[in-house]
Amino acid sequence: MSNENRSSWNSRFGYIMAAAGFSIGLGNIWRFPYLVGTNGGGAFVLIYLLICVLIGMPLFYMEVTLGRKAQASPIVGMRKLTKKGSPWVSFGWLGVLSAFFILTYYIQIMGWILAYLVKMFTGEMKGLDAAQYADRFSDLIKNPVTLIAFTLICVIIIGIISAKDLSSGLEKACSVMMPALFIMLILVVIRSLTLPGAMEGVKWYLKVDFSEVNGQTFLTALGQCFFSVGIASGGAFVYGSYLKKDSNIPSDGLMVIGFDTLAALIAGLAIFPAVFALGLQPDSGSNLLFITMSNVFMNMPFGSLFGVLFFLLMFFAALSSSLGYLEPVSSSFSEILNISRAKGVIYALVTIFAVGLFTIFGHNILESVTIGGRNLFDFADFLSGNILMPLGAIVLILYTLIYWKFNGFKRDIDEGATDFKVPMAMKYIAYLLPVVLIIIFITGLM
C-alpha cells in the first residue's frame, strides 16, 4: 500500500473529532469519575490535569508526529523509519498488541452498555431496590449467551463503520457522534444539578483535600492519563499517519487533549451531584456506572429518559474509542498482508472477537480459570494497561531521545505549525519521562 494511495483526513474538524473520539471513551465517562470517587475528589482532579499537561501531552505529540512522519500503520511505519528487525519496531508491535487486547474486553463492556440501553428504554430497571440493581448486573455477566449476542452486535456496528473508507466511515461517524455526545452529556449535567441536594455532590467533587493524597494517588492519575488519552496503543500513531505534512499537530493536539479532559470533568458533574442527591456512595468503584447510576436514574423524575441519554452517550464514547483501537490492528493486517481495508477490518474483528470470547467466559463458565490471580477479563485489562502500554511508552520516549533526537522531533512536529510551536522547555520534561514511565511500569506489575 503506497503512500500515494494512503487515505487522509478530509478535514481538520474530522481529524480532531476522530482523535478526540478515540481519547474520549470509557476512560472518561466511567473510569475517571469512579477514580475521583475513590481517590478523594478534587485533589485527584488537580493532579490528573497536571499530569495530562506534563506527561500525557508530550507523549501524545510524539506518537502523532511519528505517525505522520511514517505515513503507515505502527509496525510497517516503524520498519520504514528504522529497518525491519530493528528493536525500535517493538514500539509498533507493542501498540498493536495493546489495542488488540484492550478490544478483547472493551467490546464486551460496550455490549454491557448496549444491554443497559435496552433495559432503560424498555423500563425493565424500574421499581428495583439497591440489591436488585446489583443482581441485574450480576445476571448479565453470568449469562454467556446474552453477553455474546450483545457483544456480537457491537462488533458488527464497529465493522460496518470501519470497513468504509476513512472519510465516509470513521471520520463521518465521529464528526456526528462527538458533538452529540457533548450535547447529551450537558443535558444529563443540567438534570443532575437540578436535583435537590445536588450541590453537596458538586462541593465534594471540587473540594481539594491534599490529606487524601499519597504516592498511589499520583500513580493512579498517571495510569488514568494513559488509559484516557490512549498513549502507546497505536491509535494516535495511525491517526497521525492519515495527516498531511502541513497539518498543525501542536494546535490540533491541544484541542484533542482539551476535549478529552473536558469530557472527563463534565462526566463528574453529571454523576456526583445525582449520586449525592439520592444519598448513594460516590466511592462505589467500577459499580458506579452499571449499578449506582441505574439506581440514580430510576429514582429521579424523567429518569428513564435521562437513563437512555446517559447510556446512549456511553455507547457513543465506547464506539468512538473502539474505532480508534481497531484502526492500528486492522491497518496492520491490511498493510502486512497487502489486502484491502475492508478485509483487514474483517480479519482483525474476527480474531479479536474469538479471543474476546475468553474474557466473556471469564465471568461465567471459565470463572475458575485465573492467570496470576486474575480472571481472564481482568488479565486482558492488566496485560494491556499495566504491561504493553507502559512498555510501549518507554520505547517511544527512548526512541525520541536516542534515535530521533529531541531536535529532530521538534523539527518534525513544528512542520505545519502556524499559531504556536513546541517550546524547547519540553526537552527537559522529555528527559525526565523515562524515569517516570519506568516507575509506572514497575509499580503496575506489583
Side-chain angles (χ1 to χ4, degrees), residues 346-404:
I346 293 169
Y347 285 18
L349 282 175
V350 168
T351 312
I352 289 163
F353 180 71
V355 176
L357 288 174
F358 290 96
T359 71
I360 290 175
F361 297 149
H363 296 297
N364 36 74
I365 60 179
L366 294 179
E367 62 183 340
S368 62
V369 178
T370 59
I371 302 175
R374 297 173 175 85
N375 67 27
L376 297 175
F377 178 95
D378 292 336
F379 179 74
D381 183 26
F382 176 80
L383 177 63
S384 55
N386 293 57
I387 298 177
L388 297 175
M389 286 172 71
L391 270 179
I394 291 168
V395 176
L396 172 62
I397 188 62
L398 291 178
Y399 174 87
T400 302
L401 297 177
I402 297 171
Y403 190 92
W404 199 1

Side-chain angles (χ1 to χ4, degrees), residues 416-434:
T418 53
D419 34 17
F420 77 93
K421 297 185 178 182
V422 168
M424 280 302 295
M426 188 184 286
K427 183 174 185 178
Y428 304 107
I429 297 172
Y431 278 99
L432 290 174
L433 283 178

Side-chain angles (χ1 to χ4, degrees), residues 237-249:
F237 187 105
V238 77
Y239 277 19
S241 76
Y242 296 137
L243 287 171
K244 296 174 182 175
K245 292 294 184 182
D246 60 352
S247 55
N248 191 340
I249 291 179

